[in-house]
Amino acid sequence: MASHLPPRPTAQQNQADAGGMAVDEHHHYGPRGLKRWLLTTNHKEIGTLYLIFSLTMFFIGGIFAMVVRAELFQPGLQLVEPEFFNQMTTMHGLIMVFGAVMPAFVGLANWMVPLQIGAPDMALPRLNNFSFWLLPVAFALLLSTLVMPGGAPNFGWTFYAPLSTTYAPPSTTFFIFSLHLAGISSILGAINIIATILNLRAPGMRMMDMPLFVWTWLITAFLLIAVMPVLAGVITMMLLDINFGTSFFNAAGGGDPVLFQHLFWFFGHPEVYIMILPAFGIVSVIIPTFARKRLFGYASMVYATASIAILSFLVWAHHMFVVGLPLVAELFFMYSTMLIAVPTGVKVFNWITTLFRGSLTFEPPMLFALAFVVLFTIGGFSGLMLAISPADFQYHDTYFVVAHFHYVLVPGAVFAIMAAVYYWLPKWTGHYPHTRLSQWHFWLSVIGVNLTFFPMHFAGLAGMPRRIPDYALQFADFNMVTSIGAFIFGASQLLFVVVVVLCVRGGEKAPAKAWDGAEDLEWTVPSPAPLHTFETPPHFEPHRH
Amino acid sequence: MRKRIVRTAGLVACSGLSGSVLANGWNMPVGVTDVSREIHSLHMIIFWICVVIGIVVFGAMFYSLFRYRRSRGAKAANFHEHTTVEVIWTLIPILILVAMAIPATATLKTMYDASEADLDVMITGQQWRWRYSYLGEEVAFTSNMATSRSQVSGESAKGENYLLEVDEPLVLPVDRKVRLLMTSDDVIHSWWVPDLAVKQDAVPGFVNENWVRINEPGIYRGQCAELCGRDHAFMPVVVEAVEPERFDAWLAERKEAAAQEALGVDREWELDELMERGEQVYSSICASCHQPDGSGSPPAFPALAGNQAILDDPDYHIDTVVNGVSGTAMPAFRSTLNPVELAAVITYERNAWGNETGDAIQPADIAELLDDE
Ligand code: HEM
Ligand SMILES: [Cu+2]
């Protein structure tokens, strides 16, 4: 494969391209060592911290998933007790959603939003530092529940009451506190991103000139500000139910367990789009670069993103089709969910039309972006099936749903994050990632992901409920394949770490414009990007979008 | 090297798809009710719609990927927007979805019409068993998983219906409309039988409604679908659908047995009798939390063996079992168990595993207590 790759721009061009930009490497007089990282207000350093944190959480959450898959390798209970199994599924979900995927996108935003809009830093650098450092505290607290009496949270990442209140382990209060901290971090991060995008764009860059990664993050940030407070509200109600004798969700005290689900999913559905909109942005930036052709339908991409965001507030109860909603509610949420698939489809059509009559090459970022388009779409198809409310009576709470959301989240969100890392590593480190190893990482991931998640569709349709540590014999074969796939996928992520570490330490030198088809502003600063960039705003030429 | 990996992966995939998988199905069952058939056909329609869209979309994509590679000398074209095209590919999906929404709406309306049922069954979820009660018939029983723990742990071989078998199935008549009312005593459960296409959450404090009219006699298996705590995997649902005449006979028999048991309330019971009956009740209902040997799993589930709080104070013991302990996982058994069962299980707990109070709690006293409250 490597031989087909086009010649790369040479390092000499680095100087030439970065010509006019005098960059003073010596003017950073901050503290050194640990203190430097604790106190940094630099968007690139904070971005790096976020990304390292996210990768760490990705592996911790991954280990939990491996425990789950090892137990499910065969029918019967072999390795863990059901109590611990439930803690593993719960912690896996919570860590992956709040610890791995969301912080990875915030890290990418920290690094790339200022560079893509020609800003010197984030608008609120100290707040930025605080938003990040809340996270290690939050997740240290969450992980510490594993060794508390009664164990860690065991009620699923959706923590339905009253299982998560009256019947919950004592550690639930710590879980609530940790989620509050993570939520505050997200809200502050979102405010910062909005402030940066609205105020610090290079002169001449209008909103409709912004790269799509910036657009999708702007919209995501508004979603975050809208729904994280709802999450904070619902966990506070849980806190009161558990510790202060209220009965919001306790039927015996006149409360309503279904209210919990409405509140949770009013947060939860926009939340799933929070995890995918920035991924759409990344893919919309990478595909044109390696197709050497402008993104097809830039404006329609922006409108589609905005309509998805708005519609995402109107579909929450599609997660609740079997809780006993009235008929009109079932119909409303079925129609609205079907509708949200339309702008999602428009995005896929636009990506494919961008490829059409391009001049394509398949560097690692492009490989991940293309796999994203195919595999995310498969997740979209199962989403469409789940939207059909009568059919959802059969699909709901089975492995079919697990297959659906893993397709949109793993080869969806996670692949997009990896595409972004491969795409911007030359900018961050000044080196290209090792091509062969990256390709190995890609192919093993693709095989692993499909072996893991595709058979889950069948297991679910055949009747296997989710969140069970042991299952009837007819599901045995599907589960064995899934577990093998999961081990392949898990192990191949070690390769990702190797690629990243090698790339940081050395490798082929990258010029300022590391990919010949790349056009956004980040490619006008040297590679690696110096600590301070765009101290004088660049002049932006609106030629591309 | 890569070839070898691909080959191994292929082998793994093939072996996964062989044998029992094909035999046991990997698609949604068609089921044995009109509604389950309708749902199955909706599922197949939307599936084929996705397949067709997938062929078109991925076809266009892979065509572009092969045709427009730079290595084949492709030069990039320069077009980048086209409003008409955007409008078309917004409208076509909308039309497809409207076409899909029409039959889905019709099916949903049918599913929501539980009126004019011939029989009402109340289904109550409890950690971790189902309780069935035939409303207006004075027949009620609990249904526990029958698979032994030794099969789960691997000490003995797994049977054919591993995890999907119960001590007492829900017996229903075919060709009659049965209204299913669902509720829960503790957390949310979800009663699901794929062949009947009934999945409905059992929510504490609410009564949900669903219905079923089974077309073919048979045994239909399913399980709890909503995470409900430790033994969520171990609360199967088994429905035995029988001809209406057989059902009527069965129901009459169960009513008779219930009446017999009710007579027993008034007589004086010996300690041994109570212990025997109590052990049955304990192992089917209490042992899942308090353990067969009464050791519990503190802090959530207190031990009963040597528990001075209950041993010193019979009234407190009775109150705990009858009324539950609010704010904890201990449910109230006043409406789940009859006076004989309550008296027997309390007696058992006071005299088993080294507890030696010698108390024989009388069903009549419990009945009186229930009447007073
Ligand atoms: C075409 C667009 C989509 C449609 C129509 C759709 C539809 C649905 C429906 C109806 C469910 C509920 C299934 C059930 O529980 O019975 C569901 C679950 C879910 N979806 Fe999607 N979805 C779409 C895209 C996405 C995307 C983009 C994401 C995230 C990146 C996502 C993440 C999830 C998650 C996490 C769940 C399950 C949550 C849980 O119960 O644990 N979906 N989807
Ligand atoms: Cu949703």
Side-chain angles (χ1 to χ4, degrees), chain B residues 134-208:
Chain B
Y134 294 75
L135 295 185
E137 308 284 353
E138 309 294 328
V139 171
F141 54 88
T142 46
S143 177
N144 292 281
M145 181 174 82
T147 305
S148 68
R149 292 279 154 176
S150 63
Q151 286 187 38
V152 175
S153 66
E155 285 151 44
S156 59
K158 296 184 176 31
E160 187 193 350
N161 294 313
Y162 178 65
L163 301 188
L164 298 182
E165 53 203 347
V166 295
D167 51 3
E168 274 202 82
L170 173 66
V171 179
L172 293 180
V174 298
D175 299 332
R176 283 189 194 162
K177 185 166 182 176
V178 182
R179 194 156 68 120
L180 304 171
L181 301 163
M182 319 256 179
T183 189
S184 166
D185 282 348
D186 37 53
V187 300
I188 301 177
H189 303 266
S190 192
W191 193 87
W192 181 33
V193 181
D195 279 314
L196 309 186
V198 174
K199 182 187 287 138
Q200 191 73 59
D201 282 0
V203 184
F206 285 74
V207 176
N208 276 334

Side-chain angles (χ1 to χ4, degrees), chain A residues 265 268-270 272-273 315-316 318-319:
Chain A
W265 287 114
H269 190 84
V272 309
Y273 282 99
V315 300
W316 77 88
H318 66 210
H319 297 273

Side-chain angles (χ1 to χ4, degrees), chain A residues 119-264:
Chain A
D121 203 313
M122 297 292 281
L124 308 162
R126 284 163 198 260
L127 192 72
N128 203 12
N129 172 292
F130 182 56
S131 316
F132 171 74
W133 283 107
L134 281 175
L135 283 182
V137 179
F139 285 86
L141 199 62
L142 183 61
L143 288 169
S144 72
T145 58
L146 278 166
V147 295
M148 290 183 186
N154 55 10
F155 28 64
W157 84 277
T158 52
F159 50 97
Y160 282 4
L163 188 61
S164 62
T165 52
T166 314
Y167 297 83
S171 64
T172 307
T173 301
F174 290 87
F175 151 80
I176 291 172
F177 188 46
S178 116
L179 219 52
H180 266 311
L181 292 181
I184 294 170
S185 162
S186 291
I187 294 174
L188 298 181
I191 291 174
N192 208 347
I193 288 169
I194 294 175
T196 307
I197 297 174
L198 294 185
N199 296 308
L200 299 187
R201 293 192 310 282
M205 182 185 275
R206 295 160 305 172
M207 296 290 276
M208 290 306 271
D209 294 326
M210 299 190 312
L212 262 166
F213 178 64
V214 178
W215 252 120
T216 51
W217 240 119
L218 179 66
I219 292 170
T220 303
F222 278 105
L223 283 182
L224 277 169
I225 292 182
V227 301
M228 292 316 275
V230 179
L231 174 69
V234 71
I235 59 180
T236 305
M237 290 157 90
M238 284 171 61
L239 184 78
L240 297 176
D241 270 13
I242 294 172
N243 296 305
F244 301 99
T246 57
S247 292
F248 288 108
F249 308 129
N250 176 9
D256 180 348
V258 177
L259 172 67
F260 173 92
Q261 296 185 26
H262 283 294
L263 292 172
F264 178 84

